[in-house]
């Protein structure tokens, strides 16, 4: 295994894989780092450097073989596996997550959903029946789950994450606006639109036009 | 203005600001980079380095004044402004965005919502009436909007983003699974749960136990 690869590099690889998959679908066989970079808004040098962590993919001046590079990235990222997920929190956001059509085609299968509201527990959503949040541990005891999606209010999130981690989940997709605490062997990705907005306003602010300043 | 600050540093500042705001609410006056780091899962050195881009905040060995650092960060990030946003795409995800209570308290106000479905246009959601997506340009002509939230299907997203940018929007929060093309003066943050999942499976994969390998 290659080690010491910066997280930001790993974060970019799925973006490359997605672009390559689109190129493959359109019948393209070869793509240059230049073209890929233009398409994705990164420099060709960045792409070559990111890929260099994993060996040599392209022939100098000949570009990348689309299918081969895609397959390599899928293997590197584990996209050729099937992964199981549970969703905790079946409010408006949790429902949007459950109804999102983009997970399954990428190998991410939601196998259970949990909520703390007795009015929601027992409700059928697609092929799943919502279970009580107190049952997370026993559910995970009988079924291996790779990833937990946390769509609860902030106040409930850490407790839910603890239960998921105790149940053997090693990756958390966290929609709750908290800084989650997990053991070192567990990965967390936060999805927090407010933090994303706040990191953009830094740039907006530096060029606020008089007409839009408030 | 400080320049050449890495985007990853800007991305971390809102996380610091959020932690400081929580400390301030709990009555804390001083915090060390050590304690802040433990709370957020980053090294104290990282915090000191990130803040050093903007001047000296802490006294050696005395920690940071919570309120002063928070106010500085709010000013740096433009969190002391009010920002206006429109949401395009009022499906399940767009509705979750519209009903999310976390934007307004942080100064982000949704002032309009658009959809292409005639069955949805005209629907009242909270205080907003959903408008036709074809009206984005004329709506933005009469009202300054800072940020566009794109919650449309992938196929519609670039066209919507073009309309928003033409209308003067300078920041896009993009939920659609596409690599958006925008002019250099426009910022984009993608919220794509699949990309987040795919960058975690890299780490899961390297330690897949036989019982969970598929």
């Amino acid at each position: 295994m290659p080690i010491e690869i910066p997280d930001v590099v790993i974060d970019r690889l799925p973006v490359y894989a997605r672009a390559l998959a689109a190129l493959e679908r359109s019948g393209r066989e070869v793509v240059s780092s230049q073209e890929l970079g233009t398409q994705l808004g990164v420099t060709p040098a960045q792409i070559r450097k990111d890929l260099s962590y994993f060996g040599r993919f392209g022939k100098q001046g000949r570009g990348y073989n689309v299918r081969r590079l895609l397959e390599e990235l899928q293997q590197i990222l584990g996209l050729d596996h099937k992964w199981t997920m549970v969703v905790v929190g079946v409010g408006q956001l949790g429902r949007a997550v459950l109804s999102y059509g983009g997970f399954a085609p990428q190998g991410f299968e939601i196998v259970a959903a949990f909520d703390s509201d007795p009015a929601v527990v027992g409700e059928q959503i697609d092929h799943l029946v919502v279970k009580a949040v107190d049952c997370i541990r026993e559910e995970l005891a009988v079924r291996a789950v790779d990833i937990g999606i946390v769509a609860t209010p902030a106040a409930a999130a850490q407790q839910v994450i603890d239960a998921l981690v105790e149940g053997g989940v090693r990756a958390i997709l966290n929609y709750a606006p908290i800084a989650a605490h997990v053991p070192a062997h567990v990965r967390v990705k936060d999805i927090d639109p407010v933090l994303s907005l706040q990191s953009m306003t830094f740039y907006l602010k530096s060029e606020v036009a008089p007409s839009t300043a408030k």
Side-chain angles (χ1 to χ4, degrees), chain A:
Chain A
M1 273 310 298
I3 50 166
E4 293 294 355
I5 299 164
D7 286 355
V8 292
V9 173
I10 302 300
D11 287 349
R12 283 191 288 263
L13 297 186
V15 181
Y16 301 161
R18 190 170 65 184
L20 289 163
L23 286 168
E24 196 195 27
R25 277 195 302 275
S26 72
R28 286 287 299 278
E29 291 180 5
V30 176
V31 68
S32 64
S33 54
Q34 182 73 52
E35 184 184 346
L36 205 52
T38 305
Q39 200 175 110
L40 297 174
V42 299
T43 65
Q46 178 79 76
I47 293 174
R48 290 193 298 267
K49 178 151 185 264
D50 287 350
L51 294 178
S52 73
Y53 283 100
F54 304 94
R56 298 192 66 78
F57 290 107
K59 291 209 184 70
Q60 195 68 35
R62 298 225 10 222
Y64 299 109
N65 178 304
V66 170
R67 174 167 301 173
R68 186 156 355 121
L69 180 55
L70 175 58
E71 285 172 356
E72 290 273 3
L73 287 179
Q74 288 172 329
Q75 207 198 320
I76 288 166
L77 290 168
L79 308 187
D80 46 358
H81 291 248
K82 291 260 176 245
W83 303 98
T84 52
M85 313 196 293
V86 295
V87 174
V88 188
V90 186
Q92 200 128 23
L93 174 62
R95 286 166 198 272
V97 169
L98 284 167
S99 73
Y100 180 55
F103 293 129
Q106 301 297 326
F108 295 98
E109 189 197 357
I110 298 174
V111 298
F114 301 91
D115 201 276
S116 63
D117 182 351
V120 174
V121 174
E123 187 183 330
Q124 175 140 10
I125 299 178
D126 291 334
H127 62 293
L128 297 176
V129 175
V130 179
K131 296 179 177 169
V133 76
D134 300 331
C135 301
I136 290 179
R137 283 179 182 79
E138 61 191 53
E139 176 78 11
L140 296 192
V142 298
R143 179 211 286 274
V145 169
D146 303 303
I147 299 162
I149 301 184
V150 178
T152 68
Q158 184 62 52
Q159 217 174 331
V160 160
I161 289 167
D162 292 344
L164 291 169
V165 168
E166 279 178 44
V169 160
R170 291 176 301 133
I172 303 280
L173 190 68
N174 175 37
Y175 282 90
I178 64 156
H181 291 262
V182 294
H185 73 282
V186 177
R187 310 293 304 189
V188 178
K189 283 280 176 185
D190 295 309
I191 295 202
D192 187 330
V194 169
L195 293 183
S196 296
L197 290 171
Q198 291 180 332
S199 63
M200 288 196 288
T201 54
F202 169 80
Y203 303 96
L204 294 186
K205 177 214 57 160
S206 33
E207 5 175 300
V208 172
S211 65
T212 63
K214 283 160 214 90

